[in-house]
Amino acid sequence: MGNYKLALVIILSLSMGFGCSKKKEEAAELEKEMLGKPDTATAVMTQPATDTTPDVAAVPQEPEPSFMGAPAGSGYTVQVAGCEDRAYAEYLVEKYTARGYEPFVTTTTVEGQIYYRVRIGAFATLSEARALKIQLEDRYSVDAWIDYIQ
């Protein structure tokens, strides 16, 4: 009975590995591309050891890049990523721009954490947004979803 369980575990492990191998390869390729880019993360400002409250006025505000913010008007958009790292969001904007799309980034704050949402398109109809979503999922194996912009 022990050999049966071992064989079952091996078969399940192999089947899961083969099913995820394409996503792993694409993730490895994206990671390799990211590692080739210079680090654009901002430096961390240090506070004196005696002061435990951050001085908000002392933190320099970065200018918002031109790709930040939703296009004017309302409609449907396709979100391809939501991430905590601004540099990664910028990287994705460059990547999708090179692929021929017009991405933009919006931000949202959840429990004090800023998230950068990388989105493509502003469509008047849901069917147009669905067509782009399907295209992105087929071409780039992303888990895209449709959102409504007001």
Side-chain angles (χ1 to χ4, degrees):
M1 189 69 168
N3 288 338
Y4 174 73
K5 288 182 181 178
L6 179 63
L8 183 61
V9 168
I10 291 172
I11 290 170
L12 287 174
S13 297
L14 288 174
S15 66
M16 288 177 66
F18 286 124
C20 298
S21 65
K22 184 177 180 182
K23 291 247 186 205
K24 286 181 182 178
E25 290 171 5
E26 290 174 359
E29 182 181 323
L30 278 175
E31 183 179 3
K32 201 183 305 183
E33 290 173 5
M34 286 223 25
L35 290 176
K37 296 192 69 63
D39 186 16
T40 57
T42 52
V44 176
M45 297 189 66
T46 58
Q47 296 287 331
T50 57
D51 186 12
T52 58
T53 59
D55 183 7
V56 177
V59 177
Q61 297 295 320
E62 293 183 29
E64 248 185 37
S66 61
F67 60 78
M68 295 290 284
S74 63
Y76 298 94
T77 187
V78 179
Q79 184 166 322
V80 294
C83 50
E84 297 173 0
D85 185 13
R86 179 180 172 164
Y88 185 65
E90 291 173 2
Y91 167 76
L92 289 175
V93 166
E94 290 174 13
K95 194 63 152 168
Y96 281 101
T97 300
R99 292 173 174 170
Y101 299 98
E102 295 181 17
F104 61 93
V105 175
T106 61
T107 59
T108 188
T109 303
V110 178
E111 296 179 5
Q113 175 64 50
I114 297 174
Y115 291 91
Y116 299 90
R117 300 179 296 193
V118 181
R119 297 175 165 190
I120 299 174
F123 303 100
T125 66
L126 182 58
S127 61
E128 292 174 307
R130 279 189 188 138
L132 177 63
K133 175 185 182 289
I134 291 167
Q135 179 187 67
L136 291 167
E137 289 175 336
D138 287 346
R139 285 186 183 172
Y140 307 111
S141 298
V142 296
D143 291 325
W145 61 91
I146 298 171
D147 198 4
Y148 187 78
I149 307 170
Q150 293 186 10

